[in-house]
Amino acid sequence: MHVTFCRTCEAFCGMAATVEGGRVTKISPDRLNPFSTGHICVKGPAIRQVAYDPDRITRPLRRIGAPGEFEPVSWDDALDDIARRLTAITTTHGKGAAAAYTGNPAAFVSQFMLAFGLLADLGISKYFSASSQDANPRLVASWLLYGGARRLPIPDLPRCDLLLIFGANPFVSHGSILTDPRIHEELLGIGRRGRVVVIDPRRTETADRFEHLSIVPDTDAWLLAAMLQVIFEEELADVSFLDSSTNGWRELRSAVAAITPERAARACGVSAEEIRSLARAFSKTPHAAAYSRVGLCRGRFSTIAVVLLDALNIVAGKFARPGGWVFADSPIDTAPHTGGYDPSRTRLGALPTVIGKMPSIVLPQEMLLEGKERIRALAVIAGNPALSTPGGANWIAALESLDLHFSIDLYVNETNRHAHYILPTTTFLEREDVPLLGWSHMVRPFAQYTDAVIPPLGESRVEHEILQDLRARIGRMRAAAPEAQCDENPLQTVDALLAQGTRNGRFANFPDGLSLDTLKQFPHGVMLGAAGDADSWQQKVGHADGRIALWSQPIAAELKRLLGAEATSTSLRLIGRRELRSINSWMHHVKRLARGQTPTL
């Protein structure tokens, strides 16, 4: 029995793998894991089918003809040719000619999350990711309010008595930018001692279990602004906190004054009476929080909607309070995450970069539009943007126009079938790891280390090893000064961050701090306990004055744009949904998961 944890989504549930003759024969929940306490969904055990899928790529492939026509090739031949082509492209056309796209799965792998320096060393300077499909409005809202795009508050579920859920379906997603593997039980607990209200156009699985408030799609900003108007008008705001800890709350109050519940009701389809009742209940419940996810991040007014959701928590006195809207205590996080938003124009117009990544909607045009910084080389890692991003038919022409396209993945997909090379990587069963992503938004501080359950299958390799090998080859071609070391392990960086983040007994259960060696003594993982001298929330805010910025020029402009689009449409709206047996555009190669997943209207 080999103890490990799942990396399919942000819950990081504990798993126990049975290995016989070097092969995983069964995956069960780890009932001794103190974080997930025996919980696991259908996707975790399915990774065994992915690992041994006969369609999985386990040898490097080189394209030999039309899209999708490949032959096996050696690692040396593949990497030598990629290094030669990439060096020639960036030498001739500059760094702007090389780009990388990373898909959703890469976010859950600690080694890859630390690999962007490696991509830069390859001469890549343009970055794209799945964030612009599902998370950028949340990131930009955090940049505006807290001075850092990666500062992501979460609801304090264990102590919450009233939870408002906007555009999220945690019964299916198991939490998003909210790490709690027992979130189903957490929500049921809130429902027993208080209320859970789900604001969503669709009667989701979560909404079906609790109170459901149906809303017209893409109108959440109207509802949130009207709730703020009620709280301000009825003097329910926490003025003491607003005066001591925020800037611009009076300007925000003035801006939403005209958005009465009656006016908002015409746009969002929720009655004025319901809006007032919800605002009053939220304000008067001491332990309450409002939470949102992908539903609020996809629409014409998604960023201002997320800003207003956070403002609702802050104005109503729920921020940094037990049972409210809080910053998690991460074991590697002791300083503000500043920056993350650049409003400068792309070649195609006024489209900003967020956490250093350009919006994926421009990627096909960036490959097709002639000019100085046209993308001629593309690396796609754990992604399938031709299927999961806008662009349509442009994608085929764009991908076929590239001088170099290589992919690091498990399968041939709609995007990399156009690649020159596909390089095989590992499943999470074949790598060591820590739940790095989850640490920034865990409801209860927890840490775990896992080594690889089995060696890499076939010739597959971990992503950072592939990139390090490419960097070494490119360094030799450029005759760069001492050759970069190729054996460095990103988890060494995690180890150093752990030592720094848990120093001075910050977590009660570990007064001497944490290291990977310490975590290895707890194979099932360990609860860290309350942070005894945890940084106050002010120390996690990136603005120079340590205050929350409830008003700024971008917020003012977006509210003005919202008010200018008041007319509602009677057209039907097509909205997305989550599936329990998949995650976004992956896990579809397991037949028992994909069975029955047919589109419905």
Side-chain angles (χ1 to χ4, degrees):
M1 188 71 71
H2 194 115
V3 176
T4 185
F5 61 87
C6 183
R7 277 140 282 171
T8 305
C9 79
E10 296 170 56
F12 297 108
C13 299
M15 302 196 311
T18 302
V19 181
E20 299 176 351
R23 185 181 177 91
V24 177
T25 58
K26 182 181 179 181
I27 293 179
S28 307
D30 177 13
R31 305 200 182 279
L32 297 180
N33 183 296
F35 193 48
S36 55
T37 61
H39 170 79
I40 197 170
C41 81
V42 295
K43 295 189 287 291
I47 195 66
R48 185 175 70 89
Q49 281 79 19
V50 173
Y52 298 116
D53 188 344
D55 290 335
R56 178 185 165 188
I57 300 167
T58 57
R59 295 181 62 185
L61 298 179
R62 173 172 56 198
R63 183 169 160 186
I64 56 173
E69 294 182 1
F70 294 97
E71 68 175 3
V73 64
S74 72
W75 273 107
D76 284 340
D77 286 348
L79 294 178
D80 282 346
D81 191 35
I82 292 170
R84 277 194 297 268
R85 293 198 202 191
L86 191 54
T87 300
I89 289 167
T90 56
T91 300
T92 303
H93 301 286
K95 286 189 174 182
Y101 176 93
T102 55
N104 184 274
F108 307 120
V109 179
S110 63
Q111 291 97 320
F112 187 76
M113 291 176 69
L114 301 171
F116 283 94
L118 284 170
L119 291 171
D121 289 344
L122 302 183
I124 291 171
S125 63
K126 291 179 178 176
Y127 303 101
F128 302 82
S129 81
S131 293
S132 63
Q133 284 95 270
D134 67 10
N136 275 1
R138 172 65 268 175
L139 301 176
V140 175
S142 287
W143 177 79
L144 291 168
L145 294 164
Y146 313 117
R150 293 178 177 87
R151 183 59 70 203
L152 305 168
I154 60 173
D156 180 11
L157 298 179
R159 296 181 285 185
C160 185
D161 295 329
L162 171 57
L163 181 66
L164 308 184
I165 300 176
F166 286 80
N169 189 10
F171 268 23
V172 172
S173 70
H174 301 301
S176 180
I177 310 186
L178 177 61
T179 296
D180 187 340
R182 300 309 300 258
I183 196 166
H184 188 282
E185 287 75 11
E186 298 277 19
L187 297 182
L188 291 175
I190 297 171
R192 283 192 296 269
R193 63 181 177 264
R195 297 172 65 193
V196 176
V197 183
V198 181
I199 298 93
D200 202 290
R202 186 171 74 90
R203 192 171 184 84
T204 64
E205 291 83 348
T206 308
D208 192 50
R209 179 61 181 80
F210 301 108
E211 298 178 49
H212 178 213
L213 197 62
S214 184
I215 188 172
V216 174
D218 199 22
T219 63
D220 303 81
W222 286 98
L223 174 59
L224 288 160
M227 290 179 68
L228 281 166
Q229 190 271 347
V230 172
I231 292 170
F232 281 127
E233 182 183 65
E234 299 187 4
E235 298 184 351
L236 299 172
D238 186 350
V239 174
S240 176
F241 180 83
L242 295 176
D243 280 338
S244 67
S245 304
T246 74
N247 292 323
W249 73 266
R250 290 178 176 83
E251 289 87 345
L252 177 64
R253 180 181 62 184
S254 297
V256 300
I259 306 179
T260 63
E262 287 74 17
R263 184 176 180 182
R266 293 193 293 271
C268 69
V270 178
S271 73
E273 181 181 350
E274 287 176 303
I275 295 173
R276 285 194 172 88
S277 175
L278 196 61
R280 291 165 182 160
F282 187 74
S283 298
K284 294 176 181 179
T285 302
H287 308 296
Y291 162 74
S292 72
R293 251 322 274 131
V294 177
L296 228 62
C297 285
R298 298 176 70 130
R300 296 169 298 159
F301 305 104
S302 45
T303 300
I304 193 61
V306 179
V307 166
L308 292 171
L309 178 127
D310 278 38
L312 178 67
N313 283 300
I314 295 162
V315 170
K318 313 307 175 189
F319 180 79
R321 304 285 173 83
W325 195 232
V326 300
F327 290 139
D329 285 318
S330 169
I332 63 169
D333 180 15
T334 58
H337 294 298
T338 57
Y341 179 87
D342 182 357
S344 61
R345 293 169 179 263
T346 69
R347 291 201 303 153
L348 297 162
L351 295 169
T353 59
V354 180
I355 57 171
K357 298 170 185 175
M358 300 168 68
S360 298
I361 194 170
V362 306
L363 183 50
Q365 289 86 350
E366 286 279 355
M367 292 185 277
L368 291 170
L369 184 64
E370 291 294 343
K372 182 180 178 182
E373 292 197 0
R374 176 195 155 203
I375 293 173
R376 301 167 186 271
L378 177 67
V380 178
I381 304 169
N384 191 6
L387 180 68
S388 61
T389 70
N394 282 343
W395 269 103
I396 296 175
L399 293 170
E400 289 295 312
S401 74
L402 292 168
D403 297 330
L404 172 65
H405 174 196
F406 70 94
S407 168
I408 299 176
D409 214 304
L410 302 171
Y411 292 99
V412 177
N413 61 35
E414 288 82 356
T415 301
N416 65 23
R417 69 191 304 270
H418 299 277
H420 298 101
Y421 290 94
I422 304 177
L423 307 177
T425 190
T426 61
T427 66
F428 64 69
L429 294 174
E430 303 152 69
R431 65 173 83 226
E432 61 177 343
D433 221 337
V434 294
L436 183 63
L437 175 72
W439 282 341
S440 66
H441 36 76
M442 276 185 178
V443 170
R444 295 175 177 87
F446 167 82
Q448 186 174 8
Y449 166 85
T450 180
D451 57 5
V453 175
I454 54 174
L457 295 179
E459 299 178 25
S460 56
R461 299 172 62 185
V462 180
E463 292 95 337
H464 74 87
E465 295 174 350
I466 298 170
L467 297 176
Q468 286 167 344
D469 202 341
L470 266 178
R471 179 180 65 181
R473 292 163 193 263
I474 289 173
R476 289 194 294 268
M477 291 177 185
R478 292 175 177 164
E483 182 179 321
Q485 292 295 317
C486 295
D487 57 354
E488 58 198 81
N489 186 331
L491 285 185
Q492 295 172 355
T493 303
V494 172
D495 200 27
L497 292 171
L498 275 175
Q500 179 182 6
T502 61
R503 65 189 186 280
N504 301 326
R506 193 166 74 88
F507 284 97
N509 293 353
F510 291 90
D512 297 325
L514 272 178
S515 67
L516 291 184
D517 284 341
T518 305
L519 293 181
K520 290 174 185 178
Q521 300 173 30
F522 302 90
H524 301 278
V526 62
M527 305 306 297
L528 302 183
D533 61 347
D535 296 338
S536 66
W537 68 264
Q538 290 96 333
Q539 292 172 291
K540 296 180 180 180
V541 169
H543 294 304
D545 58 4
R547 297 164 73 93
I548 299 169
L550 286 172
W551 192 253
S552 60
Q553 188 278 328
I555 293 174
E558 280 299 280
L559 277 171
K560 181 178 180 181
R561 190 170 71 89
L562 176 71
L563 291 170
E566 188 164 1
T568 59
S569 169
T570 57
S571 302
L572 293 172
R573 310 290 180 92
L574 189 66
I575 59 173
R577 69 178 183 191
R578 287 193 180 272
E579 287 278 358
L580 183 63
R581 292 168 295 174
S582 66
I583 177 163
N584 300 343
S585 61
W586 52 298
M587 293 300 289
H588 296 161
H589 290 270
V590 181
K591 291 181 180 178
R592 73 184 187 89
L593 296 185
R595 186 170 57 243
Q597 290 191 46
T598 55
T600 56
L601 183 63

